[in-house]
Amino acid sequence: NGFSDRASVFRGTAKTGGIISGAGIIMALAFSGLTFSDKLLMQQFGTLLIVSVLYDTFVVRTILVPAMMLIAQQWNWWPRRMPPPIHDILEGDVDANGLACPILKGSGL
C-alpha cells in the first residue's frame, strides 16, 4: 500500500505475470482440442482461439497494458484521486525488521 504509479505497475506485473502466463497456456491447450475436429470450421475456430489467447497472454497483458499504465500515470485512477505515494522506489514486501526488500532484485531496474 502506498506505492507510486510506476512502482505499482512493476509490482503488479512481477507478482501476477506467472499466473497470467499459466492461465493463458492452459486455455490454449484446452482450445487445441478443437483443432483435432473433423469439421473445418471447428479447426479454424480452434486455431483462432489459440492464437488470440496466446497473443492476449504474452503481448497485451504483459507488455501493452503495463506500458499504457506507465504512460497514463495518474489517469489510471480516474475519477478518483490516488493518495500520495509513501514509497517512490521499486520496493517489494516489508520484512520482519520493517525494511523493504526490492521486488526486482538483480533485474537492473
Side-chain angles (χ1 to χ4, degrees):
N1 59 43
F3 290 97
S4 67
D5 290 329
R6 185 171 188 265
S8 297
V9 170
F10 279 108
R11 184 181 172 139
T13 303
K15 287 194 174 252
T16 61
I19 296 168
I20 291 171
S21 299
I25 291 172
I26 291 170
M27 285 180 65
L29 288 173
F31 292 142
S32 68
L34 291 172
T35 61
F36 297 111
S37 175
D38 293 335
K39 306 280 185 194
L40 181 61
L41 181 65
M42 290 297 181
Q43 292 173 354
Q44 292 174 343
F45 192 62
T47 303
L48 178 69
L49 284 173
I50 292 168
V51 170
S52 299
V53 165
L54 292 177
Y55 178 75
D56 180 60
T57 300
F58 294 110
V59 176
V60 173
R61 294 185 192 267
T62 56
I63 297 171
L64 294 180
V65 170
M68 293 303 293
M69 288 184 75
L70 286 174
I71 291 170
Q73 294 181 357
Q74 75 258 12
W75 287 99
N76 289 325
W77 318 111
W78 184 85
R80 297 181 183 188
R81 296 187 86 184
M82 185 175 165
I86 297 170
H87 309 288
D88 284 334
I89 59 174
L90 296 174
E91 295 177 344
D93 295 326
V94 178
D95 64 4
N97 297 329
L99 300 173
C101 304
I103 194 169
L104 302 173
K105 287 182 184 174
S107 66
L109 294 175

